[in-house]
Amino acid sequence: MRDAPAPLPNDTNAADPGELAGLETIRADIHYGLTQEQEAILFLIKNRESHKPRPIDEYHVGLTGGVPLFVDTDRVLKAHRLSLGSSSTNSVGAVSGVLQITDRYGADVLDRTLTIAEEAWGRSAESWDGMLLGGIGMFLGRHGDLVNDPELAKRLERTATAAKWRSQVLSASSNGGFNNSGTGSRISVSYRLVLDAWNKGRRPANRIEG
């Protein structure tokens, strides 16, 4: 990889150098011999340094480049007949949230998270809310070896609908000293609510300590 001056195109369709702030040459990074995955990673790094691209654009670039994080996430989503990009019955709008679950806890935890959400609340845009998925994913990521997934789904279902769960997360995030300024804090609140639902009615010896 090296820096080199790249002459502007010299054809009738090219922009006049004067239109580019009077520059006759521009500096360009030239990269040799990169694989498609390396190109994708470089694209993500360079764009984050200048201006952060949309999460969905990062996702598609990473998927095209075969980056494991994105490939593993896509595989799990397809198994659940889901896509990324917008909130709907068959699509998850929380792109960053889904990728974060895979990145922090692995594709298996994302798979379990989506299964539990669907069993608890069915297939709907509310079921795939980023805060709810994030809370379930964090709970499984931290305590998954102690959790029976069908039982957790039943407990979440009995507690409230997905829409009411979301309202509870937002309400709890704005009260009791919680910082409600970011998604991360709301996911932490969601995790605490999932933990409470799991522990409800259990003897102290059978409770999971957060």
Side-chain angles (χ1 to χ4, degrees):
M1 181 173 67
R2 65 184 178 86
D3 290 337
L8 294 173
N10 184 22
D11 61 55
T12 57
N13 295 320
D16 186 276
E19 295 179 6
L20 296 174
L23 298 176
E24 295 184 1
T25 61
I26 59 174
R27 293 190 65 82
D29 291 335
I30 301 176
H31 308 276
Y32 298 99
L34 299 181
T35 65
Q36 192 172 43
E37 179 178 345
Q38 290 170 332
E39 288 179 0
I41 293 173
L42 185 63
F43 171 86
L44 297 175
I45 293 173
K46 287 294 184 181
N47 277 278
R48 284 172 179 167
E49 290 175 351
S50 55
H51 65 282
K52 186 170 177 61
R54 296 184 307 159
I56 190 62
D57 293 331
E58 287 189 326
Y59 175 73
H60 287 306
V61 170
L63 193 58
T64 299
V67 180
L69 168 62
F70 302 95
V71 172
D72 292 344
T73 299
D74 184 67
R75 172 175 50 80
V76 173
L77 289 169
K78 285 181 176 177
H80 288 267
R81 296 174 288 116
L82 290 169
S83 60
L84 279 182
S86 62
S87 298
S88 69
T89 301
N90 297 310
S91 181
V92 182
V95 179
S96 296
V98 169
L99 290 170
Q100 188 175 81
I101 293 172
T102 305
D103 188 39
R104 289 187 176 181
Y105 309 115
D108 179 62
V109 169
L110 176 61
D111 182 39
R112 294 173 66 186
T113 297
L114 296 173
T115 299
I116 290 170
E118 182 171 356
E119 289 182 357
W121 303 307
R123 293 184 71 88
S124 68
E126 290 80 9
S127 302
W128 315 130
D129 180 84
M131 295 182 297
L132 305 190
L133 296 180
I136 297 171
M138 182 180 290
F139 182 72
L140 294 174
R142 293 181 178 182
H143 316 292
D145 56 337
L146 303 175
V147 175
N148 177 277
D149 293 6
E151 181 183 354
L152 177 59
K154 286 293 184 183
R155 284 176 172 266
L156 298 182
E157 180 186 16
R158 287 198 299 264
T159 301
T161 64
K164 288 184 178 179
W165 264 92
R166 187 176 188 279
S167 296
Q168 290 175 5
V169 171
L170 292 173
S171 177
S173 297
S174 59
N175 293 289
F178 286 111
N179 178 5
N180 66 340
S181 61
T183 302
S185 63
R186 292 173 181 173
I187 289 176
S188 295
V189 171
S190 179
Y191 158 77
R192 297 297 309 182
L193 293 176
V194 173
L195 179 67
D196 291 344
W198 176 260
N199 284 332
K200 186 175 181 180
R202 294 184 184 276
R203 295 178 179 179
N206 296 325
R207 294 167 65 89
I208 292 177
E209 298 299 328

